Amino acid sequence: MKHSLTVIIATVLLLAACKPTIPSQYIQPDEMEQLLYDYHVAQAMARSAGGSNADYLRVTYFHTVLKKHNLTEAEFDSSLVYYYSRVDYLEPIYAHVNERLQKDARALGAQTSSIQQYSQYGETGDTANIWNGVTDMLLVSRPIMNRFDFSFKADTTFRLGDSFMLQFMAEYICPTGSKDAVVCIVTKYEGDSILQTVNHVSVPGLSQIRVPANNEKALKEMSGYIYLNEAREGPASESRLLMFISQLQLIRFHSKEIIQANETARTDSLKTDSVQRSDHSGGEKPDTLRRRVLGRRAGGTPPPATLRDPKNRMADGPNLIKK
């Protein structure tokens, strides 16, 4: 028993020793999380100030955050370069930062955003969130790491006239240079007709890309991508850009007009069927007048005695009676 316990402890220590750690010359995860949190709060303050001084305030507040953490811009850049190569470290850090920012916004009484409004919807219904992939991701402005692709095929829950909206929250880290990401959605309909919707995301916060309804052809497939461009200012080696995407949703809207038209057509069809069943419920009505004139048919009522007398039968021709 003692030997087994020793083996377990040795294994745990070995696994802990093999766990990769961040070199000491770079900002450690806990400090990086607090640094990024302060960075985004400062950038939000710069945006809220607005006006022609927004860019100046953005840079000034960035240096204020570095001073608070006793860091130089070179130390921040070198750490950011390291985290670029280890996105698996940076993603959970950003997830925590985003969670803290949302919690603070709710505590300050921020109104429910559109992205939270649709979070209650499932995968079915007239309004539904049909996104079933990852909802949080990190894009870095370098090849392979700067693009996220998605695609899916339509199923029986899709209807003619459906419209769509792709939405997400975006946060940037861009010490220098401008920010720009391209969102492209390609919708393919019956008959191989294609619609391409493109939008640019250059500011943080909520982004929404809408795909209009097609009332003539049903959707077959939807695909697209989110592509992060490189910063367009400064040397390429120093223009580092990072984009964190969270709460990704794809909302599908059934057309209310088409739904109403279908309901109206269904109601009219039911009424027509009901009237037809009422008219033919007893089969063909018997010609009682003709039976009384021409005599008894099989299963009919015998004519009166006066009409059974040959003297009183009708002669050939209209309205002619034998005397």
Side-chain angles (χ1 to χ4, degrees):
M1 181 67 181
K2 182 178 180 180
H3 177 70
S4 301
L5 182 60
T6 304
V7 172
I8 294 175
I9 294 175
T11 304
V12 172
L13 293 176
L14 181 61
L15 291 175
C18 294
K19 183 179 180 180
T21 57
I22 296 176
S24 59
Q25 66 266 32
Y26 302 123
I27 303 173
Q28 297 301 301
D30 291 343
E31 185 179 0
M32 177 61 79
E33 178 181 330
Q34 186 59 44
L35 173 63
L36 294 178
Y37 172 81
D38 292 338
Y39 171 84
H40 286 299
V41 171
Q43 296 301 299
M45 293 172 59
R47 290 196 303 271
S48 64
S52 58
N53 294 328
D55 291 338
Y56 170 77
L57 292 176
R58 183 169 60 87
V59 176
T60 301
Y61 290 168
F62 169 64
H63 287 285
T64 302
V65 171
L66 293 178
K67 184 176 180 180
K68 174 185 176 181
H69 290 269
N70 297 319
L71 294 170
T72 64
E73 189 170 354
E75 291 173 330
F76 175 76
D77 287 345
S78 62
S79 296
L80 203 57
V81 170
Y82 173 80
Y83 278 101
Y84 274 177
S85 62
R86 298 304 304 266
V87 177
D88 55 329
Y89 282 175
L90 195 54
E91 256 184 331
I93 291 175
Y94 242 113
H96 294 158
V97 171
N98 183 66
E99 183 178 352
R100 291 176 60 184
L101 292 173
Q102 292 184 32
K103 184 177 180 180
D104 290 347
R106 290 192 295 267
L108 293 174
Q111 295 182 352
T112 302
S113 64
S114 177
I115 201 163
Q116 295 172 329
Q117 172 186 351
Y118 294 109
S119 61
Q120 59 181 314
Y121 292 103
E123 298 180 359
T124 59
D126 294 340
T127 302
N129 177 21
I130 60 174
W131 184 262
N132 57 5
V134 297
T135 58
D136 299 347
M137 67 200 66
L138 188 66
L139 300 181
V140 179
S141 58
R142 61 173 54 185
I144 302 177
M145 303 170 65
N146 62 344
R147 176 165 171 157
F148 171 75
D149 293 85
F150 61 89
S151 65
F152 63 89
K153 296 184 180 297
D155 55 27
T156 56
T157 62
F158 290 75
R159 300 177 184 174
L160 187 68
D162 284 348
S163 60
F164 304 89
M165 179 176 68
L166 182 72
Q167 64 175 9
F168 54 84
M169 298 295 294
E171 294 293 344
Y172 285 100
I173 287 185
C174 185
T176 59
S178 57
K179 305 174 288 292
D180 181 57
V182 179
V183 183
C184 177
I185 303 176
V186 179
T187 45
K188 186 176 181 180
Y189 299 91
E190 291 180 345
D192 293 336
S193 61
I194 294 177
L195 173 66
Q196 180 173 284
T197 307
V198 179
N199 195 19
H200 287 261
V201 179
S202 57
V203 295
L206 177 64
S207 294
Q208 295 178 325
I209 301 90
R210 296 181 179 270
V211 178
N214 188 329
N215 295 327
E216 298 179 356
K217 298 181 179 180
L219 178 70
K220 292 176 57 179
E221 183 180 357
M222 177 178 290
S223 61
Y225 61 83
I226 303 175
Y227 177 81
L228 179 63
N229 286 312
E230 294 183 357
R232 292 174 292 188
E233 298 176 8
S237 60
E238 298 180 1
S239 299
R240 289 176 289 276
L241 179 61
L242 183 147
M243 180 184 187
F244 181 70
I245 296 174
S246 63
Q247 304 178 69
L248 185 60
Q249 298 175 346
L250 181 60
I251 311 301
R252 182 198 61 212
F253 304 93
H254 286 330
S255 173
K256 294 183 179 180
E257 290 79 8
I258 292 181
I259 293 175
Q260 183 64 36
N262 291 338
E263 291 295 333
T264 302
R266 186 180 299 108
T267 302
D268 292 343
S269 177
L270 291 175
K271 288 181 179 179
T272 302
D273 292 343
S274 178
V275 171
Q276 290 176 350
R277 286 194 297 269
S278 176
D279 289 345
H280 299 284
S281 59
E284 185 177 356
K285 295 181 179 180
D287 189 351
T288 55
L289 178 61
R290 185 174 179 83
R291 287 182 181 179
R292 284 196 292 269
V293 174
L294 297 181
R296 181 178 182 181
R297 294 182 180 178
T301 304
T306 55
L307 290 181
R308 290 201 299 269
D309 189 345
K311 296 180 180 181
N312 296 326
R313 290 186 179 175
M314 295 179 64
D316 294 337
N319 300 325
L320 298 178
I321 301 177
K322 288 184 178 181
K323 294 182 180 179

